[in-house]
Amino acid sequence: MTVASAEHQRAGKFPTYSLLACIAAAVAALALFYQPLRSKLDKIEYWTADWRTVLLADSTPDKHPRIVLVLFDPATFKGNIVSPIPRDDHARLLRTIAAMQPAAIGLDFYFVASQGPERDQAMLDALHEIDRPVVLGGVDSHTDEFDKDHFAYQKQFLSEAGRPAGYLALDYGPGHVVRRTSPPVADSPFQESFARQVALAAKAELAGPGTSSESTRIAWLVGPDRDTTPFFRISAKELLGDSSEARRAEIAQRVKGNIVLTGIAMPNSDLHDTSLSVWTDSKMLGALVHAHILAQLLDGRYYYELAGPARSALLAGIGVAGLLLAWVLGEKRASLLNLGLATAVLVGIDALCYAGFRVVLPFTLMLYVWFIGALAGRHLRKLFLWAQARANPVAQTV
């Protein structure tokens, strides 16, 4: 007795559904080149990438050993919210920090308007007299917040200060989230980022992407208990006000030979969403973002992203793999191609490349092309078998 397989028995009727499925797969593949759809996929990609970052971020067993943040907060001003920070107070703080012999001091501040002759001069005098490396912040055409008068004042002030400066701009990606460092602007007077200037001032040996200020993915750092701000932070009050000798000695020990960043920690001021915000559901201080970038430079921790031909080859390979596997497995084991298994496999590959090789893969697009390939492979097989059955009818004996 000769009996056709289940697939051959159904070959007599044209598999219209399979034809439609193949057309849908082709349309879905072509849709990758349609920008509105790509933008939707990119939004999902960024969301999944943010969770990957949180779960697989570089970790430190304690606070970062080489960076100290001194922040002007309400406690510095007896509970008051003060902005801008008075430059004479800032100057006194810088002198106190410099006396503790840090490797370098970075000011996460820009200077675009006068605070009056006395306060301006107090800051300039401190910058002239301090014997430690100091880096100032600067603004440029990264933002349209400032006008020509601001830029003119900044140019004059920085010239008089005689200290190196770097641009403070952050790179806002989709969702207004900071995920990458900001590259320099061609017409800017600042061709080095603030964080890189600080690292250079501290004589750090930079390698890899750290040898330039070109944009790179930020290698966020987490501490114990998923602490997303693993840096030693102190209020400027402790150095400007009365604090115990023991506390000052502790701060001095932390500061000596390390890098100090001064910044602002006022409510609703200089706060930014970052990749880590999907976990904390809160914004991060600008000074802390710069601290993460600086830590990355000091530690030599970088991630690399597939781009151009390599990215296209990866996606094409995954699509073809899905097509071939679906073709080979056919109907009997089609369950192996379900969403859960494919997601698990791709998550594992993605995690291995990210954590093991520090390579960032386009996870959402990988999943997308996998299912396009699997859908096409399964239904192309059905069309092939139908065509084969028409050409060579299968004998059936009862």
PDB file of all heavy atoms in Angstrom, residues 232-250:
ATOM      1  N   PHE A 232      31.477  58.719  44.836  1.00  0.00           N
ATOM      2  CA  PHE A 232      31.550  59.382  46.137  1.00  0.00           C
ATOM      3  C   PHE A 232      31.066  60.819  45.966  1.00  0.00           C
ATOM      4  O   PHE A 232      31.676  61.602  45.250  1.00  0.00           O
ATOM      5  CB  PHE A 232      32.990  59.349  46.659  1.00  0.00           C
ATOM      6  CG  PHE A 232      33.143  59.855  48.059  1.00  0.00           C
ATOM      7  CD1 PHE A 232      32.657  59.121  49.129  1.00  0.00           C
ATOM      8  CD2 PHE A 232      33.773  61.061  48.312  1.00  0.00           C
ATOM      9  CE1 PHE A 232      32.806  59.583  50.426  1.00  0.00           C
ATOM     10  CE2 PHE A 232      33.929  61.533  49.607  1.00  0.00           C
ATOM     11  CZ  PHE A 232      33.436  60.784  50.673  1.00  0.00           C
ATOM     12  N   ARG A 233      29.953  61.151  46.627  1.00  0.00           N
ATOM     13  CA  ARG A 233      29.332  62.482  46.498  1.00  0.00           C
ATOM     14  C   ARG A 233      29.336  63.184  47.840  1.00  0.00           C
ATOM     15  O   ARG A 233      29.010  62.593  48.866  1.00  0.00           O
ATOM     16  CB  ARG A 233      27.883  62.350  46.010  1.00  0.00           C
ATOM     17  CG  ARG A 233      27.717  61.710  44.662  1.00  0.00           C
ATOM     18  CD  ARG A 233      26.269  61.369  44.372  1.00  0.00           C
ATOM     19  NE  ARG A 233      25.385  62.519  44.497  1.00  0.00           N
ATOM     20  CZ  ARG A 233      24.081  62.468  44.289  1.00  0.00           C
ATOM     21  NH1 ARG A 233      23.503  61.322  43.938  1.00  0.00           N
ATOM     22  NH2 ARG A 233      23.344  63.545  44.418  1.00  0.00           N
ATOM     23  N   ILE A 234      29.685  64.460  47.813  1.00  0.00           N
ATOM     24  CA  ILE A 234      29.599  65.255  49.034  1.00  0.00           C
ATOM     25  C   ILE A 234      28.957  66.595  48.700  1.00  0.00           C
ATOM     26  O   ILE A 234      29.025  67.083  47.574  1.00  0.00           O
ATOM     27  CB  ILE A 234      30.983  65.484  49.684  1.00  0.00           C
ATOM     28  CG1 ILE A 234      31.910  66.254  48.732  1.00  0.00           C
ATOM     29  CG2 ILE A 234      31.618  64.166  50.087  1.00  0.00           C
ATOM     30  CD1 ILE A 234      33.236  66.615  49.356  1.00  0.00           C
ATOM     31  N   SER A 235      28.300  67.168  49.675  1.00  0.00           N
ATOM     32  CA  SER A 235      27.715  68.495  49.519  1.00  0.00           C
ATOM     33  C   SER A 235      28.802  69.555  49.666  1.00  0.00           C
ATOM     34  O   SER A 235      29.706  69.424  50.515  1.00  0.00           O
ATOM     35  CB  SER A 235      26.627  68.710  50.570  1.00  0.00           C
ATOM     36  OG  SER A 235      26.232  70.071  50.615  1.00  0.00           O
ATOM     37  N   ALA A 236      28.722  70.588  48.851  1.00  0.00           N
ATOM     38  CA  ALA A 236      29.682  71.687  48.972  1.00  0.00           C
ATOM     39  C   ALA A 236      29.645  72.287  50.370  1.00  0.00           C
ATOM     40  O   ALA A 236      30.629  72.893  50.822  1.00  0.00           O
ATOM     41  CB  ALA A 236      29.367  72.757  47.921  1.00  0.00           C
ATOM     42  N   LYS A 237      28.522  72.109  51.053  1.00  0.00           N
ATOM     43  CA  LYS A 237      28.396  72.627  52.422  1.00  0.00           C
ATOM     44  C   LYS A 237      29.504  72.090  53.317  1.00  0.00           C
ATOM     45  O   LYS A 237      30.005  72.807  54.200  1.00  0.00           O
ATOM     46  CB  LYS A 237      27.029  72.220  52.978  1.00  0.00           C
ATOM     47  CG  LYS A 237      26.834  72.565  54.451  1.00  0.00           C
ATOM     48  CD  LYS A 237      25.543  71.972  54.994  1.00  0.00           C
ATOM     49  CE  LYS A 237      25.420  72.264  56.484  1.00  0.00           C
ATOM     50  NZ  LYS A 237      24.191  71.665  57.063  1.00  0.00           N
ATOM     51  N   GLU A 238      29.896  70.830  53.100  1.00  0.00           N
ATOM     52  CA  GLU A 238      30.895  70.222  53.978  1.00  0.00           C
ATOM     53  C   GLU A 238      32.277  70.838  53.818  1.00  0.00           C
ATOM     54  O   GLU A 238      33.121  70.705  54.713  1.00  0.00           O
ATOM     55  CB  GLU A 238      30.957  68.716  53.711  1.00  0.00           C
ATOM     56  CG  GLU A 238      29.656  67.983  54.036  1.00  0.00           C
ATOM     57  CD  GLU A 238      29.854  66.493  54.089  1.00  0.00           C
ATOM     58  OE1 GLU A 238      30.424  65.996  55.082  1.00  0.00           O
ATOM     59  OE2 GLU A 238      29.448  65.820  53.124  1.00  0.00           O
ATOM     60  N   LEU A 239      32.506  71.491  52.688  1.00  0.00           N
ATOM     61  CA  LEU A 239      33.806  72.135  52.483  1.00  0.00           C
ATOM     62  C   LEU A 239      33.734  73.646  52.656  1.00  0.00           C
ATOM     63  O   LEU A 239      34.759  74.293  52.863  1.00  0.00           O
ATOM     64  CB  LEU A 239      34.349  71.794  51.089  1.00  0.00           C
ATOM     65  CG  LEU A 239      34.677  70.318  50.853  1.00  0.00           C
ATOM     66  CD1 LEU A 239      35.179  70.098  49.438  1.00  0.00           C
ATOM     67  CD2 LEU A 239      35.692  69.814  51.868  1.00  0.00           C
ATOM     68  N   LEU A 240      32.550  74.195  52.545  1.00  0.00           N
ATOM     69  CA  LEU A 240      32.393  75.642  52.720  1.00  0.00           C
ATOM     70  C   LEU A 240      31.945  75.997  54.126  1.00  0.00           C
ATOM     71  O   LEU A 240      32.198  77.106  54.607  1.00  0.00           O
ATOM     72  CB  LEU A 240      31.354  76.192  51.724  1.00  0.00           C
ATOM     73  CG  LEU A 240      31.764  76.171  50.258  1.00  0.00           C
ATOM     74  CD1 LEU A 240      30.611  76.652  49.377  1.00  0.00           C
ATOM     75  CD2 LEU A 240      33.001  77.030  50.020  1.00  0.00           C
ATOM     76  N   GLY A 241      31.257  75.081  54.790  1.00  0.00           N
ATOM     77  CA  GLY A 241      30.752  75.339  56.129  1.00  0.00           C
ATOM     78  C   GLY A 241      31.605  74.668  57.186  1.00  0.00           C
ATOM     79  O   GLY A 241      32.766  74.318  56.962  1.00  0.00           O
ATOM     80  N   ASP A 242      30.975  74.483  58.323  1.00  0.00           N
ATOM     81  CA  ASP A 242      31.675  73.857  59.440  1.00  0.00           C
ATOM     82  C   ASP A 242      31.455  72.353  59.396  1.00  0.00           C
ATOM     83  O   ASP A 242      30.329  71.873  59.467  1.00  0.00           O
ATOM     84  CB  ASP A 242      31.148  74.405  60.777  1.00  0.00           C
ATOM     85  CG  ASP A 242      31.451  75.892  60.941  1.00  0.00           C
ATOM     86  OD1 ASP A 242      32.496  76.313  60.421  1.00  0.00           O
ATOM     87  OD2 ASP A 242      30.645  76.603  61.573  1.00  0.00           O
ATOM     88  N   SER A 243      32.524  71.614  59.278  1.00  0.00           N
ATOM     89  CA  SER A 243      32.461  70.165  59.366  1.00  0.00           C
ATOM     90  C   SER A 243      33.609  69.706  60.254  1.00  0.00           C
ATOM     91  O   SER A 243      34.612  70.406  60.415  1.00  0.00           O
ATOM     92  CB  SER A 243      32.560  69.521  57.976  1.00  0.00           C
ATOM     93  OG  SER A 243      33.734  69.931  57.311  1.00  0.00           O
ATOM     94  N   SER A 244      33.462  68.544  60.818  1.00  0.00           N
ATOM     95  CA  SER A 244      34.452  68.069  61.778  1.00  0.00           C
ATOM     96  C   SER A 244      35.792  67.810  61.100  1.00  0.00           C
ATOM     97  O   SER A 244      35.866  67.585  59.884  1.00  0.00           O
ATOM     98  CB  SER A 244      33.947  66.773  62.429  1.00  0.00           C
ATOM     99  OG  SER A 244      33.901  65.729  61.474  1.00  0.00           O
ATOM    100  N   GLU A 245      36.842  67.848  61.902  1.00  0.00           N
ATOM    101  CA  GLU A 245      38.171  67.580  61.366  1.00  0.00           C
ATOM    102  C   GLU A 245      38.257  66.164  60.805  1.00  0.00           C
ATOM    103  O   GLU A 245      38.909  65.923  59.780  1.00  0.00           O
ATOM    104  CB  GLU A 245      39.222  67.781  62.462  1.00  0.00           C
ATOM    105  CG  GLU A 245      39.423  69.240  62.869  1.00  0.00           C
ATOM    106  CD  GLU A 245      40.583  69.397  63.826  1.00  0.00           C
ATOM    107  OE1 GLU A 245      41.329  68.412  64.020  1.00  0.00           O
ATOM    108  OE2 GLU A 245      40.751  70.505  64.381  1.00  0.00           O
ATOM    109  N   ALA A 246      37.568  65.238  61.458  1.00  0.00           N
ATOM    110  CA  ALA A 246      37.588  63.851  60.992  1.00  0.00           C
ATOM    111  C   ALA A 246      36.932  63.734  59.612  1.00  0.00           C
ATOM    112  O   ALA A 246      37.437  63.021  58.728  1.00  0.00           O
ATOM    113  CB  ALA A 246      36.865  62.956  61.994  1.00  0.00           C
ATOM    114  N   ARG A 247      35.813  64.452  59.427  1.00  0.00           N
ATOM    115  CA  ARG A 247      35.126  64.406  58.138  1.00  0.00           C
ATOM    116  C   ARG A 247      35.978  65.058  57.061  1.00  0.00           C
ATOM    117  O   ARG A 247      36.072  64.532  55.940  1.00  0.00           O
ATOM    118  CB  ARG A 247      33.773  65.112  58.244  1.00  0.00           C
ATOM    119  CG  ARG A 247      32.986  65.190  56.938  1.00  0.00           C
ATOM    120  CD  ARG A 247      32.713  63.836  56.353  1.00  0.00           C
ATOM    121  NE  ARG A 247      31.854  63.917  55.166  1.00  0.00           N
ATOM    122  CZ  ARG A 247      31.688  62.939  54.294  1.00  0.00           C
ATOM    123  NH1 ARG A 247      32.315  61.783  54.455  1.00  0.00           N
ATOM    124  NH2 ARG A 247      30.885  63.096  53.263  1.00  0.00           N
ATOM    125  N   ARG A 248      36.599  66.170  57.372  1.00  0.00           N
ATOM    126  CA  ARG A 248      37.471  66.831  56.381  1.00  0.00           C
ATOM    127  C   ARG A 248      38.651  65.937  56.026  1.00  0.00           C
ATOM    128  O   ARG A 248      39.059  65.883  54.862  1.00  0.00           O
ATOM    129  CB  ARG A 248      37.960  68.167  56.926  1.00  0.00           C
ATOM    130  CG  ARG A 248      36.902  69.241  56.987  1.00  0.00           C
ATOM    131  CD  ARG A 248      37.458  70.563  56.552  1.00  0.00           C
ATOM    132  NE  ARG A 248      36.413  71.560  56.411  1.00  0.00           N
ATOM    133  CZ  ARG A 248      36.513  72.627  55.661  1.00  0.00           C
ATOM    134  NH1 ARG A 248      37.608  72.818  54.938  1.00  0.00           N
ATOM    135  NH2 ARG A 248      35.546  73.502  55.591  1.00  0.00           N
ATOM    136  N   ALA A 249      39.182  65.238  57.002  1.00  0.00           N
ATOM    137  CA  ALA A 249      40.308  64.341  56.731  1.00  0.00           C
ATOM    138  C   ALA A 249      39.855  63.191  55.825  1.00  0.00           C
ATOM    139  O   ALA A 249      40.592  62.774  54.916  1.00  0.00           O
ATOM    140  CB  ALA A 249      40.867  63.795  58.043  1.00  0.00           C
ATOM    141  N   GLU A 250      38.632  62.701  56.048  1.00  0.00           N
ATOM    142  CA  GLU A 250      38.105  61.629  55.199  1.00  0.00           C
ATOM    143  C   GLU A 250      37.938  62.113  53.768  1.00  0.00           C
ATOM    144  O   GLU A 250      38.301  61.416  52.807  1.00  0.00           O
ATOM    145  CB  GLU A 250      36.756  61.157  55.740  1.00  0.00           C
ATOM    146  CG  GLU A 250      36.107  60.075  54.892  1.00  0.00           C
ATOM    147  CD  GLU A 250      34.681  59.770  55.303  1.00  0.00           C
ATOM    148  OE1 GLU A 250      34.195  60.370  56.281  1.00  0.00           O
ATOM    149  OE2 GLU A 250      34.038  58.939  54.623  1.00  0.00           O
TER     150      GLU A 250
END
